[in-house]
């Protein structure tokens, strides 16, 4: 399966810079050996989707509510993302789990809502530094994967160690490979054969300088890129390093 390189713009970008970034990504995306997704802030999602329409670049949201609609001030439903032009949505990012106290069962409910609207869910999991230092990383991630996925899940998983996000630090190649193997085993246990082909992205300080090595590791099905996705040249360099 082609690798997926997804850019998580987080809470960055007003309309003008977002459109400029999207145009630059589109210009470089045509010949890439991978699927490319950008996840802009909700306020510019429709405009970015319009800019990339008909190109190789897809657009995703960064979160959605589990309910279809109703009295949830400030929240955005999966249908709204879809209506604005999204085809995917990041769910359970560690910044959501930390800043908004999202639990894995809540993430699972969001996955169900996203799938019901035809969005590809990208479910994030990852241990904190304290959990890794205590040797608990596999237990933590196993529980997050198990509890965040509904039966029959057919989306994408992103392994993002919390301590590697935005820090410039990454796990060793052996640690990434070990965790991806662990996640694959959980997917097979949880989903049966359906778990064999799902892409498991790596995320956390992916840069042009380390992308080729990370993307070549066994069971790495792509990358979820934060900081480096805000510069088109860096994001495209990472995507160009994808294994085809
Ligand atoms: P980073 O973020 O690439 O800036 O480390 C990754 C993410 O949070 O998805």
């Amino acid at each position: 399966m082609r690798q997926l390189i997804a850019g998580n713009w987080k809470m960055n970008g007003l309309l003008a810079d977002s459109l400029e970034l999207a145009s630059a990504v589109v210009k470089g995306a045509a010949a890439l050996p991978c699927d490319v997704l950008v996840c802009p802030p909700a306020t510019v999602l429709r405009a970015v989707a319009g800019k990339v329409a008909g190109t190789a670049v897809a657009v995703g949201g960064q979160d959605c509510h589990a309910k279809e609609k109703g009295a949830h001030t400030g929240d955005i439903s999966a249908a709204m993302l879809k209506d604005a032009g999204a085809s995917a949505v990041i769910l359970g990012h560690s910044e959501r789990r930390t800043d908004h106290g999202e639990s894995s069962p809540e993430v699972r409910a969001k996955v169900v809502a996203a799938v019901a609207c035809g969005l590809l869910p990208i479910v994030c999991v990852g241990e904190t530094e304290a959990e890794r230092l205590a040797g608990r990383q596999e237990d933590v991630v196993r529980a997050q994967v198990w509890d965040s996925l509904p039966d029959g899940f057919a989306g994408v998983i992103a392994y993002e160690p919390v301590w590697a996000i935005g820090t410039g630090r990454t796990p060793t190649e052996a640690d990434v490979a070990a965790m991806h193997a662990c996640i694959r085993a959980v997917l097979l246990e949880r989903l049966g054969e359906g778990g064999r082909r799902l892409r498991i992205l790596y995320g956390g300080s992916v840069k042009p300088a380390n992308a080729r090595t990370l993307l070549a590791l066994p069971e790495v099905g792509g990358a979820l890129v934060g900081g480096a996705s805000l510069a088109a040249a860096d994001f495209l360099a990472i995507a160009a390093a994808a294994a085809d």
Side-chain angles (χ1 to χ4, degrees):
M1 189 181 284
R2 272 156 73 90
Q3 292 192 318
L4 168 64
I5 307 299
N8 175 8
W9 295 2
K10 307 191 180 183
M11 197 174 72
N12 295 289
L14 304 182
L15 184 61
D17 7 299
S18 299
L19 290 177
E20 202 179 308
L21 178 54
S23 299
V25 171
V26 162
K27 268 198 206 112
L32 289 171
C34 57
D35 294 337
V36 177
L37 174 75
V38 294
C39 300
T43 48
V44 300
L45 198 147
R46 182 183 299 278
V48 168
K51 185 57 96 180
V52 307
T55 76
V57 180
V59 175
Q62 299 177 8
D63 174 52
C64 72
H65 197 277
K67 293 270 165 57
E68 241 171 81
K69 59 180 171 181
H72 301 287
T73 302
D75 279 312
I76 293 170
S77 72
M80 290 170 181
L81 290 177
K82 180 86 178 170
D83 184 53
S87 58
V89 60
I90 298 169
L91 295 170
H93 189 281
S94 73
E95 287 149 18
R96 302 286 319 171
R97 291 180 189 261
T98 304
D99 298 355
H100 301 269
E102 286 184 12
S103 67
S104 291
E106 282 164 347
V107 173
R108 184 170 70 231
K110 291 179 177 212
V111 173
V112 170
V115 171
C117 288
L119 296 175
L120 175 75
I122 301 173
V123 176
C124 303
V125 295
E127 81 285 359
T128 63
E129 182 152 42
E131 288 161 345
R132 178 163 283 271
L133 288 174
R136 294 183 50 233
Q137 67 275 9
E138 293 202 352
D139 291 344
V140 168
V141 168
R142 185 190 307 273
Q144 286 177 338
V145 172
W146 196 272
D147 294 342
S148 299
L149 304 188
D151 293 345
F153 177 78
V156 174
I157 303 286
Y159 168 54
E160 300 204 301
V162 176
W163 52 274
I165 294 175
T167 59
R169 297 162 57 205
T170 53
T172 65
E173 291 168 40
D175 286 344
V176 173
M179 186 60 86
H180 280 240
C182 166
I183 292 172
R184 178 68 66 203
V186 183
L187 291 177
L188 286 168
E189 205 181 325
R190 178 79 171 77
L191 305 167
E193 274 309 297
R196 193 171 298 285
R197 285 180 54 78
L198 302 185
R199 287 181 285 199
I200 307 169
L201 313 186
Y202 169 77
S205 295
V206 178
K207 309 283 179 213
N210 61 19
R212 191 167 297 281
T213 308
L214 288 165
L215 288 166
L217 292 172
E219 297 288 10
V220 172
L224 181 53
V225 186
S229 73
L230 297 174
D234 286 352
F235 184 62
L236 290 167
I238 291 166
D244 51 12

